[in-house]
Amino acid sequence: MYLGIDTGGTYTDAVLYSQEDGVLAKAKALTSRHDLAVGIGEAVSKVLASAKTAAESVELVCLSTTLATNALVEGQGGRVALVMIGFREEDLARDGLSETLGGDPVIYVPGGHNVHGNETPLELGPLEAVTDTLKEEVAAFAVAGYFAVRNPAHEIAARDFIRDRTGLPVTCSHELSSKLGGPRRALTTLLNARLVAMIDRLIDATEGHLHACGIKAPLMVVRGDGALIAAGIARQRPIETILSGPAASLVGARHLTGMSDAVVSDIGGTTTDVAILEDGLPRLDPEGAVVGGLRTMVQAVAMHTYGLGGDSEVHLSETGLESRLELGPRRLMPLSLAAHLDREPVIAALQRQIDAGYAGRLDGRFACLTGVPERFAAGLQAQEMALFKQITGRLAPLDRLLGSASQKATLDRLMARGLVHIAGFTPSDAMHVVGRQDNWNTEAARLGAQLLARRKTGAGKPVADDAGALAQMTIDRLTRQSCEVILSACLAEDGEAQIDAKRSRSVDRALDRVHGIVRFHLTLDRPLVGLGASAASYYPDIAAMLASDSAIPDDADVANAIGAVVGHVRSTVTVFVTAPQEDVFAVNGAGLSERFTNEDAAMDRARSIAEQAASDEALAAGAEDPLVTVREHVKAPEIEGTRSLVEARVIATADGRPRIVRHHQ
């Protein structure tokens, strides 16, 4: 019996599954961001009680999560110091590294290696000069060395120095990718370091509750490519869990529908994730996962992630005399949920704003602390810290909290750091207003809709006649934006990314069914599979607008958790062989750098290293009896009749089911 858990931005799902009987029970609980153990504990307790199953009978626990993905989409994460070994300042301008750094510190250290693994001497002086100061200002360090994938010695030296001096988490780039491309590898390393504390809290919460329940089974975490890894490895490499939830949903979609070819779209609270299922397997992204507009070096399914979900921010886009609703990309706490958690102050504030008789720009918005430890506020500017100290764990209306327009931007920065929740009107509230959802507080949703409806367009008219009309406008907008993101993803997979589904007049006419001498029509070449708790509410209309067949499986609301428990452990290691000079062959990879005078000997050694490293990684990741396969790519052209090795890559992949705990009667 297996236990699958998926911790999303809004809900935590749990499912009990057996190979013989499939889904035995499923349960949901609200994700408690201030203390993840609460939501996980509630979901696990509910599912065990529902199945009348003893905790001791669980043999394996698998966890998928969208928390890391959501954090990157929303620009959240801890403050990090980036150590660049052998790089120049102009390298920051590549691959979005400078923009991603924002105000986080960067330290340049002389050193690094060349393509064959030969070194430029390492000088740690610049790092030594600032480490004691930085340890009070950052939550983690990221270390990226020039050609560290060919020789990681300098990254390891810097990592050991930082750990000894600060005790803070350190991420090295060679631990995350074997691909060349220093700035993008540095970007991936920076993002990993920002996520360490968040994933650490998630795994601590999960393991703590499992222990309290008496579950002794191993804990596995889903990677972005759908494979499983041991929880200990996920703590060190949390970046690998980006798109973990979506990848698990894709595995779950295949398992639940039996379809070999489909467009799979998973709508959550924060994001909509779209991927292609082809010949029974998910398409992988050969260039690395893209999340929040950033291209990383994380091996993952070719998942297209958009900031659009049931809890997306609803705001007015004002252009000229026209105004229209736009959704996302930020996630807000729905007003209906806010009042469900703390009814009296939320309802009182909303009613006060209604009674005022005029529309304020901050109406219907509240803020409260997320409950993360105060050390994550390290490095705040003076104005940010001043506002942070005014905010408490209770929801406070923004029209009373903020004293000036400039403080709104300050509040947004606190939200981006993951320190503050903002509550406001969302599609989830709209569903409450129209009676298609009733699990939270409908009164707050209706009041929030009234406040937004009376806002004025550029022509001076109310946005909507009443709360019901505003709610339907929001639902219609979600349907339309969902179609646009699904089309954007499919066009990108077809190599037609230059067609902007959001701005194309042709796409607009096709979706709106505009009649004319020329009629535009579009559809998908395969069914649209809708996943997520709200899929049944939205996806029939979305598929109809796309003129496509749809499939919404019975357990669509827990597809991520199901995908987690039916996955495999898989590890891939690449070892490189190059010829830095005549009759000298360099073997680099898996943390080793060796020299040979014979090409055949070098290739044999590369195969041996790759096979052993892949097997060791799979075993460390929790596999049982992994099967190793090897493939090779050799670039060795003949020049004037003489064979000349440029580069050979030996790629070993180990694959196996996770180890489970057998319970003997």
Side-chain angles (χ1 to χ4, degrees), residues 397-427:
L398 295 195
D399 63 346
R400 293 282 177 86
L401 176 67
L402 304 182
S404 64
S406 64
Q407 282 193 304
K408 177 63 170 59
T410 304
L411 181 66
D412 289 340
R413 291 195 296 272
L414 293 178
M415 184 184 182
R417 287 283 297 271
L419 300 172
V420 170
H421 283 312
I422 295 179
F425 191 78
T426 70

Side-chain angles (χ1 to χ4, degrees), residues 324-650:
R324 70 173 184 178
L325 297 183
E326 290 286 350
L327 309 182
R330 294 197 310 180
R331 173 191 180 271
L332 301 185
M333 179 189 294
L335 291 173
S336 51
L337 174 57
H340 175 76
L341 298 173
D342 198 3
R343 181 185 183 281
E344 296 304 326
V346 173
I347 296 297
L350 292 172
Q351 191 61 59
R352 171 179 57 80
Q353 292 166 354
I354 289 285
D355 293 342
Y358 59 88
R361 299 192 70 84
L362 298 178
D363 284 356
R365 294 294 178 98
F366 298 79
C368 67
L369 296 179
T370 59
V372 299
E374 194 164 333
R375 68 177 183 275
F376 291 104
L380 291 180
Q381 301 298 318
Q383 66 271 28
E384 295 169 345
M385 182 59 76
L387 182 57
F388 176 71
K389 289 184 176 180
Q390 293 179 42
I391 303 171
T392 70
R394 296 288 301 274
L395 286 154
L398 295 195
D399 63 346
R400 293 282 177 86
L401 176 67
L402 304 182
S404 64
S406 64
Q407 282 193 304
K408 177 63 170 59
T410 304
L411 181 66
D412 289 340
R413 291 195 296 272
L414 293 178
M415 184 184 182
R417 287 283 297 271
L419 300 172
V420 170
H421 283 312
I422 295 179
F425 191 78
T426 70
S428 295
D429 294 311
M431 296 297 273
H432 278 78
V433 174
V434 299
R436 292 164 65 182
Q437 191 173 333
D438 62 359
N439 49 322
W440 298 330
N441 188 292
T442 300
E443 182 183 5
R446 185 172 291 107
L447 290 172
Q450 284 182 245
L451 288 168
L452 191 54
R454 74 181 187 184
R455 290 273 299 274
K456 295 294 193 294
T457 67
K461 299 178 180 179
V463 172
D465 292 336
D466 54 33
L470 189 283
Q472 190 58 52
M473 287 172 62
T474 302
I475 295 167
D476 292 344
R477 189 62 202 157
L478 179 64
T479 300
R480 178 55 180 262
Q481 281 188 229
S482 295
C483 288
E484 291 170 354
V485 300
I486 291 167
L487 286 174
S488 294
C490 294
L491 287 166
E493 288 299 313
D494 278 342
E496 301 290 349
Q498 76 277 4
I499 301 176
D500 187 339
K502 185 176 181 178
R503 293 180 172 82
S504 167
R505 180 62 183 152
S506 300
V507 171
D508 188 58
R509 288 185 63 175
L511 294 180
D512 285 344
R513 308 294 196 269
V514 172
H515 298 297
I517 298 173
V518 177
R519 291 191 178 185
F520 290 84
H521 176 77
L522 57 78
T523 187
L524 305 177
D525 76 336
R526 61 198 71 194
L528 174 65
V529 176
L531 301 179
S534 60
S537 297
Y538 296 120
Y539 274 79
D541 290 341
I542 293 168
M545 185 173 283
L546 292 171
S548 300
D549 294 332
S550 66
I552 304 168
D554 290 340
D555 294 308
D557 56 331
V558 290
N560 295 28
I562 293 170
V565 298
V566 298
H568 279 224
V569 177
R570 187 169 56 252
S571 294
T572 299
V573 171
T574 302
V575 177
F576 301 87
V577 179
T578 58
Q581 60 191 70
E582 189 174 354
D583 295 328
V584 175
F585 300 91
V587 178
N588 296 290
L592 298 175
S593 182
E594 300 178 1
R595 298 291 184 272
F596 293 84
T597 57
N598 179 276
E599 182 180 341
D600 289 339
M603 289 297 295
D604 286 342
R605 178 58 174 155
R607 295 183 192 103
S608 174
I609 292 172
E611 288 183 32
Q612 189 63 52
S615 179
D616 289 346
E617 281 195 12
L619 290 169
E624 186 169 48
D625 299 325
L627 175 66
V628 181
T629 57
V630 178
R631 65 186 192 277
E632 299 176 7
H633 299 288
V634 180
K635 187 186 296 184
E638 280 199 11
I639 302 175
E640 297 182 351
T642 302
R643 182 178 180 278
S644 178
L645 177 68
V646 176
E647 180 184 82
R649 298 185 183 189
V650 179

